[in-house]
Amino acid sequence: MNLAYEYDIHLPPHSDPSKKYPAIFTLHGKGSNEQNMRGLVAPLADEFIIVNIRGDLRLGAGYQYYELKGLGNPIRESFDRAVRQLEAFIHDVTEKYPIDAAGRYLLGFSQGAILSMTLALTMGEQLKGIVALNGYVPAFVKTEYTLQPVDQVSAFISHGEFDSVFPLQIGKDNAAYFHQLTPNCTFKIYPTDHGVSEENQRDFVNWLQADAAR
């Protein structure tokens, strides 16, 4: 099995080899790496298999999943490639490890949030839910991609009130869009810039625990 991305994986301690577990696939922001996501999901490590995915394109000292023409303007070919590769990666890792295919979540920040929301729309009920922190849905995804029903997909979307990269209205637009598609959408605003506060983390951890138990 030739996996498209470098990753690290954490299985629950004392996991039962006869059981399958829900999983969280994390997607980092532009210029970051998979290690920067570990702390965000650490409180969930006893209950979920956690797969931290590293972007496959170098950017400075870090990585990205796709390239940009400019801020908020993905290079379409690069973006399409990332979506295809990530879908395949999620399926391949599910086969390789004791992951419950009915309990898969994506959790992304910034570029990772953009991809998490996009993958929810392209994979539909192949995902249990997403956590999208400070991102947006590219217009071409809404109008040109083949979209799957997401009425059974849960979404936790959050945005910084003072986000200097993606203004707050973008987060409100995300929420309005997903509220039309799924009844299981939570939207929260935090008094932050382009980042994740402790309150934001606490809220999505509680949300994931509750949603996985549904």
Side-chain angles (χ1 to χ4, degrees):
M1 187 180 293
N2 187 20
L3 297 173
Y5 296 95
E6 297 290 328
Y7 65 98
D8 68 42
I9 186 163
H10 177 96
L11 275 68
H14 314 299
S15 55
D16 182 344
S18 67
K19 283 181 59 179
K20 293 196 172 185
Y21 293 85
I24 301 169
F25 295 81
T26 72
L27 297 162
H28 59 74
K30 179 169 69 82
S32 185
N33 63 58
E34 76 283 6
Q35 301 300 326
N36 285 347
M37 300 299 289
R38 294 179 71 180
L40 288 179
V41 291
L44 297 160
D46 289 345
E47 304 155 68
F48 294 82
I49 292 175
I50 295 172
V51 185
N52 301 305
I53 309 170
R54 179 194 296 174
D56 60 334
L57 302 174
R58 268 282 186 186
L59 182 66
Y63 299 87
Q64 59 184 345
Y65 301 96
Y66 60 85
E67 296 169 311
L68 301 170
K69 297 175 187 174
L71 187 62
N73 190 10
I75 294 174
R76 178 65 185 269
E77 182 181 352
S78 181
F79 188 89
D80 292 350
R81 169 185 163 276
V83 172
R84 288 193 305 269
Q85 286 192 168
L86 284 164
E87 285 189 13
F89 177 88
I90 290 164
H91 288 303
D92 288 346
V93 170
T94 300
E95 289 183 15
K96 187 173 182 178
Y97 297 99
I99 290 172
D100 178 3
R104 297 184 295 201
Y105 292 86
L106 302 182
L107 184 150
F109 171 73
S110 195
Q111 189 176 96
I114 294 165
L115 286 165
S116 294
M117 288 187 280
T118 298
L119 288 162
L121 296 168
T122 61
M123 297 181 71
E125 293 175 17
Q126 296 175 73
L127 298 175
K128 178 76 161 62
I130 60 165
V131 174
L133 311 168
N134 297 67
Y136 68 93
V137 182
F140 62 78
V141 170
K142 297 177 183 178
T143 59
E144 299 177 36
Y145 272 32
T146 301
L147 305 182
Q148 302 299 319
V150 294
D151 53 296
Q152 299 300 310
V153 179
S154 302
F156 180 101
I157 299 169
S158 65
H159 215 87
E161 183 179 2
F162 309 109
D163 192 321
S164 56
V165 178
F166 303 137
L168 176 58
Q169 186 59 47
I170 290 174
K172 292 179 177 179
D173 292 344
N174 293 334
Y177 181 70
F178 273 91
H179 275 305
Q180 292 177 338
L181 301 176
T182 174
N184 307 312
C185 181
T186 296
F187 177 58
K188 290 184 176 287
I189 300 168
Y190 298 91
T192 59
D193 193 343
H194 194 65
V196 181
S197 67
E198 289 184 11
E199 181 186 10
N200 192 174
Q201 180 195 27
R202 185 169 61 250
D203 285 349
F204 75 64
V205 164
N206 291 337
W207 180 89
L208 279 163
Q209 290 171 326
D211 192 78
R214 285 197 308 117

